[in-house]
Amino acid sequence: MSVLSDTSLVGATAAQLAALVASGDASAREVAQAHLERISATDPAVHAFLHVDAAGALAAADAVDAARARGDALGPLAGVPLALKDVFTMRGMPTTCGSRILEGWLPPYDATVTRRLREASVVVLGKTNMDEFAMGSSTENSAYGPTANPWDLTRIPGGSSGGSAAAVAARQATLALGTDTGGSIRQPAAVCGLVGVKPTYGGVSRNGLVAFSSSLDQAGPLARTVLDAALLHATIAGHDPLDSTSIDQPPPDVVAAASRRDVGGMRIGVVRELAGEGYQPGVEARFREAVALLEELGAQVVEVSCPSFAYALPAYYLIAPSECSSNLARFDAMRYGLRVGDDGEHGAEEVMSRTRAAGFGPEVIRRIMIGTYALSSGYYDAYYGQAQKVRTLITRDFTAAFDDVDVLVSPTTPTVAFPLGERTGDPMAMYAADLCTIPANLAGTPAMSVPCGLADGLPVGLQVMAPALADERMYRLAGALEAELDARRGHALLDEAPVLDEALA
Ligand code: GLN
């Protein structure tokens, strides 16, 4: 069977692969090899990866096979291949964050999340493409060129975790990790037909994850099924003394919730403000059908108003740039990566300024300038302070809504994947891709995207939002919806996407 059409290993879910490896029906090496071959065959067209570590992946796989041969107990994701967004540090692999300024930088440590992956015997295949420093919604802001959507190679895979999403949708990796500051896990998941989760802020350690906007950044899973996302979430979650914002409580039992497959009695609020003008009719139709289905399955559905959500986008585009202008000050040509003009003729400040001008792309420079302005004396109260007040109002909207309902739902994105190049010249149009996802980041509450069908042949995502620390509620709803949609369709949504293979055949 050709690498392109062999779906036995590259099409399997993480839960299935882990079972195959544990039973000895497949070796972890065979699993890793199949995915590395799939990457070789498809990545010239998709460009999901910035770095593939074949030797490291095979060594990790061999360690799993050796552990099994010794009779050691294997964890629930042992031997499962994963693609890591290039914002997580991992010893032995470069970390670029999609930026020239970090080209060639080899981190001397593992992020806490990466360490947990190693401890769980997950096989890390390599680092994935992303918008520079996670700023963007299409992966077109990468300094290393864009990634294509495996459903239609002329369209964006979403961003900023577009490489991670494309890798899973293209069956190059079974799982991936992304980060979500304003939607960068959920939006790519939605437009690539995947499950993507932003856990409660503080639920997953940020230690060793290169910071964009520290009060908003959160790492989380991308997967083909709700259960796979839960297994990865459970692997990376939990308290970390190395992250001062990490929550010191046992993580929610998302795996049990993902398998429950019942929404009887659940109270679901449809957010009135996340609909209407600017939303593609096909997206609204799939969303409404999914909500009707949940009602049929026994959930109670009501409409809920969150009036301050209307100001989420402007508040985010003051707060995130403000924090980034401070976080990115560390890229000063002295500590990491690129250094320009260090020829004995120029002073340190000149070297810093030349390096930053050469090393950062236009979107990153735009954000640093907006953030520096918003934080400057005389403007701080009018911009940054005002945005923080809006943030409080948004949190209050969530709190009030969750007095009445268990979860909130909306479309994940206003449109399906748009064509590459369509919004690169129009930052405001690009920012609008995160209209629905940003409120949860501002409030620190968990949110997830689960596929709810196709519009014009392209995936549509349904967003589920829950109160802080109640991540399991989203998995319960998403697991039930996924099971029902798969049963009615007769197969999983991703089995409908031979598009990539056809394009490459
Ligand atoms: N698209 C949003 C931005 O450009 C969100 C990015 C993210 O979540 N990392 O900032």
Side-chain angles (χ1 to χ4, degrees):
M1 215 185 254
S2 87
V3 173
L4 286 176
S5 58
D6 177 8
T7 52
S8 54
L9 293 179
V10 298
T13 67
Q16 289 165 341
L17 281 185
L20 286 174
V21 170
S23 66
D25 288 328
S27 67
R29 175 171 266 264
E30 276 175 280
V31 171
Q33 201 90 53
H35 287 85
L36 291 167
E37 282 168 17
R38 176 81 184 167
I39 293 171
S40 302
T42 57
D43 215 42
V46 177
H47 191 229
F49 282 86
L50 292 178
H51 178 78
V52 177
D53 183 16
L58 292 173
D62 287 346
V64 174
D65 291 331
R68 182 177 179 277
R70 281 196 305 270
D72 295 358
L74 298 182
L77 290 179
V80 176
L82 175 139
L84 194 60
K85 184 178 184 180
D86 201 19
V87 70
F88 296 95
T89 53
M90 182 160 187
R91 251 183 294 113
M93 283 196 228
T95 298
T96 68
C97 292
S99 182
R100 290 279 171 217
I101 211 159
L102 276 175
E103 199 166 4
W105 181 59
L106 279 167
Y109 48 78
D110 277 346
T112 296
V113 160
T114 315
R115 180 171 52 73
R116 289 186 178 164
L117 293 177
R118 285 193 205 268
E119 287 164 1
S121 303
V122 171
V123 172
V124 178
L125 298 168
K127 307 295 287 292
T128 58
N129 199 14
M130 56 184 283
D131 286 298
E132 187 174 4
F133 288 106
M135 298 173 198
S137 307
S138 68
T139 313
E140 292 167 293
N141 291 337
S142 169
Y144 303 98
T147 295
N149 188 320
W151 287 79
D152 175 347
L153 296 172
T154 69
R155 290 175 187 266
I156 59 116
S160 61
S161 312
S164 283
V168 178
R171 299 181 167 80
Q172 298 172 333
T174 318
L175 297 170
L177 277 184
T179 55
D180 191 313
T181 303
S184 282
I185 293 173
R186 290 162 285 158
Q187 184 255 3
V191 301
C192 286
L194 304 174
V195 178
V197 183
K198 183 197 90 73
T200 296
Y201 181 79
V204 174
S205 170
R206 288 184 299 108
N207 171 57
L209 141 66
V210 180
F212 161 16
S213 181
S214 310
S215 75
L216 302 164
D217 297 341
Q218 192 59 196
L222 285 145
R224 290 192 207 111
T225 68
V226 176
L227 177 60
D228 281 6
L231 290 167
L232 181 54
H233 188 151
T235 300
I236 59 171
H239 181 240
D240 178 14
L242 297 177
D243 172 0
S244 62
T245 57
S246 169
I247 295 167
D248 194 359
Q249 272 191 35
D253 190 354
V254 293
V255 175
S259 315
R260 187 166 159 186
R261 297 184 170 189
D262 140 59
V263 286
M266 214 174 180
R267 291 166 307 158
I268 301 177
V270 176
V271 182
R272 183 183 303 152
E273 285 74 14
L274 300 179
E277 205 192 327
Y279 288 75
Q280 204 172 306
V283 169
E284 293 215 272
R286 287 306 87 73
F287 171 70
R288 275 196 306 272
E289 289 159 17
V291 171
L293 190 56
L294 290 163
E295 202 162 15
E296 241 178 81
L297 295 175
Q300 295 166 27
V301 178
V302 293
E303 199 182 65
V304 167
S305 179
C306 297
S308 301
F309 283 17
Y311 308 107
L313 207 59
Y316 172 87
Y317 278 100
L318 286 165
I319 292 167
S322 295
E323 293 187 17
C324 107
S325 72
S326 160
N327 273 327
L328 270 57
R330 76 192 62 180
F331 303 108
D332 59 0
M334 303 296 142
R335 290 174 250 216
Y336 315 87
L338 189 72
R339 183 179 292 178
V340 177
D342 184 16
D343 51 10
E345 303 275 307
H346 302 100
E349 284 191 5
E350 180 67 18
V351 172
M352 288 178 194
S353 132
R354 284 177 184 233
T355 301
R356 286 167 68 82
F360 289 139
E363 183 64 23
V364 172
I365 290 177
R366 177 182 296 123
R367 306 249 183 141
I368 292 173
M369 291 178 72
I370 292 173
T372 307
Y373 181 81
L375 290 178
S376 58
S377 132
Y379 296 101
Y380 182 96
D381 289 333
Y383 293 107
Y384 182 75
Q386 197 72 2
Q388 290 292 18
K389 288 179 188 162
V390 170
R391 189 173 188 174
T392 301
L393 294 178
I394 288 167
T395 305
R396 284 186 193 156
D397 276 1
F398 272 114
T399 308
F402 290 132
D403 278 345
D404 294 330
V405 297
D406 299 314
V407 290
L408 292 170
V409 294
S410 75
T412 307
T413 55
T415 71
V416 295
F418 45 88
L420 285 158
E422 189 187 83
R423 301 192 187 180
T424 41
D426 184 352
M428 295 307 283
M430 190 69 88
Y431 297 169
D434 295 307
L435 214 54
C436 313
T437 49
I438 280 174
N441 297 84
L442 291 171
T445 46
M448 109 190 244
S449 182
V450 60
C452 67
L454 301 177
D456 305 325
L458 293 167
V460 177
L462 175 128
Q463 179 175 229
V464 199
M465 296 167 275
L469 302 173
D471 305 43
E472 75 284 353
R473 292 186 196 172
M474 316 187 294
Y475 281 94
R476 179 181 165 200
L477 184 155
L481 180 65
E482 174 189 69
E484 188 63 22
L485 287 172
D486 284 359
R488 293 193 177 203
R489 208 187 283 120
H491 55 257
L493 184 80
L494 271 180
D495 295 341
E496 235 162 277
V499 191
L500 174 64
D501 297 47
E502 273 165 23
L504 298 178

